[in-house]
Amino acid sequence: MTEDRPSWDAYFMDIATLVACRSTCLRRAVGAILVKDRRILTTGYNGAPTGLMHCGQKKGCLREQLGVPSGQRHEICRGLHAEQNAIIQAARHGVSILGATLYCTTQPCSICARMFINAGIKEVYYKEGYADPLALEMLEEAGIPCQQIALD
C-alpha cells in the first residue's frame, strides 16, 4: 500500500464528480453515487428523463429563462436530480439501497432529502453547498448525517 492512495471519501467523491460529466442540465452538472460496504451500488446524474429531449435540444432552461433562483421551483424543471436517478436505477435493477451512503457533488435539496429518509439511506456526503436549508434540517431530524467534505 502506498500513502498517496485517496481516502474512501475522496475516491467516491471523485467518481461522483466524473458521473456529473454526463449531466445534460444547462445550469448545474451534478453527479451522485450510492455506496454500501465500500461498493458502488448505483450512479446518477441530473438531466431529462430517458428518451426525452434534453433542455439544450429544446428551447433552453425554463427556470433560467424565468429568472428562478437556485433552489426554487423545482417542479418546472424538465430534469431529474442526480440523487433521484441513482435511487431510480437501484429500483429498476432490484438493488437494495437500505443502509447505503450517498456521495453527491452538490448538497441535496429537500425533495431528495425526503426520498433519502424513506429509502433508508444512512448518511450523505456532498462537495458543494446548495440554497436549501430545509433539506439539512429534515436530514438532521431524521438522524441522517449530512456532511460537506472538503477535498483537495
Side-chain angles (χ1 to χ4, degrees):
M1 260 165 79
T2 63
E3 300 217 6
D4 60 343
R5 291 177 73 195
S7 68
W8 285 108
D9 288 340
Y11 174 72
F12 291 130
M13 194 59 76
D14 284 348
I15 293 171
T17 300
L18 181 61
V19 171
C21 293
R22 292 281 307 152
S23 171
T24 61
C25 180
L26 300 174
R27 289 181 84 168
R28 179 192 310 261
V30 180
I33 64 171
L34 286 166
V35 175
K36 189 171 183 178
D37 299 326
R38 296 183 179 167
R39 301 291 180 258
I40 297 170
L41 302 175
T42 62
T43 66
Y45 53 87
N46 57 328
T50 303
L52 298 186
M53 286 191 284
H54 306 300
C55 295
Q57 296 170 309
K58 292 284 288 174
K59 296 180 181 171
C61 175
L62 180 59
R63 291 176 71 232
E64 189 72 27
Q65 293 165 6
L66 295 175
V68 176
S70 182
Q72 298 179 17
R73 304 285 320 269
H74 296 283
E75 74 279 4
I76 63 172
C77 178
R78 290 181 58 81
L80 291 158
H81 291 186
E83 307 94 315
Q84 293 168 340
N85 272 324
I87 291 169
I88 290 165
Q89 288 304 308
R92 285 188 70 161
H93 298 286
V95 176
S96 174
I97 58 173
L98 183 64
T101 298
L102 178 100
Y103 288 85
C104 192
T105 57
T106 302
Q107 177 210 304
C109 72
S110 56
I111 296 168
C112 291
R114 290 188 286 259
M115 294 176 75
F116 302 160
I117 293 164
N118 282 358
I121 290 172
K122 71 173 184 176
E123 59 188 344
V124 175
Y125 294 100
Y126 64 94
K127 187 164 51 171
E128 299 174 0
Y130 189 64
D132 193 343
L134 178 59
L136 299 177
E137 291 172 22
M138 289 192 315
L139 291 170
E140 182 179 355
E141 183 179 344
I144 299 173
C146 184
Q147 180 180 339
Q148 184 172 14
I149 53 177
L151 302 170
D152 298 336

